[in-house]
Amino acid sequence: MIVDLPSTTTSQVNKKLVELRESGGAVALGRVLTLVIVTDDSSETEQAIQAANEASREHPARVIVVAKGARQAAPRIDAQIRIGGDAGASEVVVLRLYGQLAEEGAGSVVPMLLPDAPVVAWWPNDSPDHPAKDPIGELAHRRITDAAAEPDPIEALGARARSYVDGDTDLAWTRLTSWRALLAAALDQPPLEPVRAATVSGEADSPSTDLLAGWLAASLGIPVRREIHKGPGIVSAVLERPSGNVEVVRPDGKIGYLTQPGQPDRRVTLQRRAVRDCLTEELRRLGPDEIYESTLRGLSDVVRQNPEEGSEQSEPVSAGQHS
């Protein structure tokens, strides 16, 4: 069910929410958190809502969408309430803010927050330089950004490192979960030798590639080189050990190839993760992510290849070159 409330107020929206719960049986008591999505009012707003709906099947939530409209328009709030099949396992409140209200989203959000429930703020596209100091970020226990969706992903990642406080995270980090698990599992198998150095390659503007390099530098305390290749995304990770290298190569963004000494090459699934899957994973954790924090610090230890060195033209290693 979708209910439109044009030119409304937050008190009227709250009143309508209560009416809908009483008439339709939807209760807020089953909601485990409030997810606040902050975005400009555009076609991408619906994509973010759909991802939140999918995530809510594991994490029932009240989803509040702050969609910032034209700043030149007269101040007003156009609201929309979605429940039932149009909202997954959540209840969605879309607040389209115009005029001066577009810059005062926190004041519109506060009356909608569920009592005694944690608040998660998510910026699916452009995010503030310091999320924890943003008015909506100050309301949140957890703040989710996505450097890959920014105009300059690598600069955005640098801003994350400079502004990090407990509770911050980024979906570029969450996209690494499969890579991290695969590399950690490979190092747990014989021969149990120290890693001397590592090289990670990927697209020049892939923040996940930088974060993978930072994670290796911080976790293993080794020199890591970040090379640039055509993607998509992360292309390869090579860990140098005395008896031979551990290599993971993903030339197409879907299937990876794991090579390690004394074992046959393996094909592994390394499909690039959808936003809904990353969001679902991040909502499982509401406390600080110490590994992400140390990874951001590890970025300063990574030697990043200069794009002018010509490897933008480099081709990823083909599947036949792994052995």
Side-chain angles (χ1 to χ4, degrees):
M1 177 189 298
I2 298 178
V3 178
D4 289 311
L5 299 171
S7 297
T8 188
T9 64
T10 54
S11 61
Q12 290 173 336
V13 175
N14 262 325
K15 181 179 179 181
K16 191 63 178 179
L17 275 170
V18 173
E19 291 176 4
L20 292 171
R21 281 200 298 272
E22 291 177 347
S23 63
V27 294
L29 297 179
R31 311 306 181 200
V32 299
L33 57 88
T34 302
L35 174 62
V36 183
I37 303 174
V38 187
T39 181
D40 285 331
D41 189 12
S42 67
S43 59
E44 295 175 341
T45 302
E46 287 301 323
Q47 298 174 18
I49 293 173
Q50 184 58 40
N53 287 347
E54 294 293 333
S56 73
R57 302 187 190 281
E58 181 175 324
H59 310 281
R62 170 174 288 180
V63 178
I64 304 172
V65 183
V66 179
K68 301 178 181 181
R71 277 61 166 179
Q72 298 79 19
R76 77 174 193 277
I77 300 175
D78 288 347
Q80 188 179 78
I81 300 173
R82 306 181 188 185
I83 59 175
D86 294 295
S90 62
E91 52 189 8
V92 178
V93 180
V94 183
L95 302 175
R96 292 185 166 87
L97 309 180
Y98 298 92
Q100 295 178 348
L101 293 177
E103 303 303 331
E104 300 176 6
S108 302
V109 165
V110 170
M112 307 286 172
L113 300 178
L114 293 174
D116 302 321
V119 178
V120 179
W122 174 34
W123 291 267
N125 301 299
D126 290 346
S127 55
D129 289 337
H130 201 315
K133 292 185 178 179
D134 180 83
I136 290 179
E138 290 178 340
L139 301 173
H141 300 79
R142 189 104 167 121
R143 293 162 296 277
I144 303 173
T145 54
D146 190 353
E150 301 272 3
D152 187 338
I154 302 304
E155 173 54 35
L157 185 59
R160 304 289 177 271
R162 292 188 296 271
S163 67
Y164 177 85
V165 298
D166 287 351
D168 288 357
T169 191
D170 195 280
L171 296 188
W173 167 246
T174 323
R175 294 185 182 100
L176 289 181
T177 299
S178 299
W179 281 85
R180 292 167 54 211
L182 181 61
L183 291 170
L187 293 180
D188 280 342
Q189 300 176 27
L192 302 178
E193 299 175 324
V195 178
R196 299 181 297 194
T199 302
V200 178
S201 67
E203 286 182 291
D205 62 352
S206 168
S208 293
T209 305
D210 281 36
L211 285 170
L212 181 58
W215 174 68
L216 290 171
S219 300
L220 299 177
I222 57 173
V224 179
R225 180 173 173 82
R226 199 290 204 200
E227 294 188 344
I228 297 172
H229 284 272
K230 293 180 180 178
I234 305 170
V235 175
S236 67
V238 179
L239 309 182
E240 300 176 16
R241 298 195 299 185
S243 64
N245 296 346
V246 175
E247 300 184 24
V248 179
V249 180
R250 185 188 66 176
D252 61 357
K254 298 177 182 178
I255 301 296
Y257 301 86
L258 172 63
T259 302
Q260 52 192 136
Q263 298 191 31
D265 291 0
R266 290 171 46 199
R267 293 182 61 185
V268 291
T269 300
L270 281 176
Q271 179 76 37
R272 302 185 78 193
R273 303 184 71 192
V275 170
R276 66 176 182 273
D277 298 327
C278 295
L279 181 62
T280 300
E281 179 179 330
E282 284 299 342
L283 293 179
R284 295 179 191 140
R285 175 194 291 271
L286 295 177
D289 188 340
E290 294 86 356
I291 306 301
Y292 173 59
E293 180 184 5
S294 66
T295 295
L296 290 176
R297 291 198 302 266
L299 289 173
S300 61
D301 297 324
V302 174
V303 177
R304 183 178 173 86
Q305 180 182 15
N306 190 325
E308 280 131 15
E309 291 177 21
S311 59
E312 251 326 345
Q313 319 308 315
S314 300
E315 296 292 341
V317 181
S318 66
Q321 294 175 309
H322 296 165
S323 55

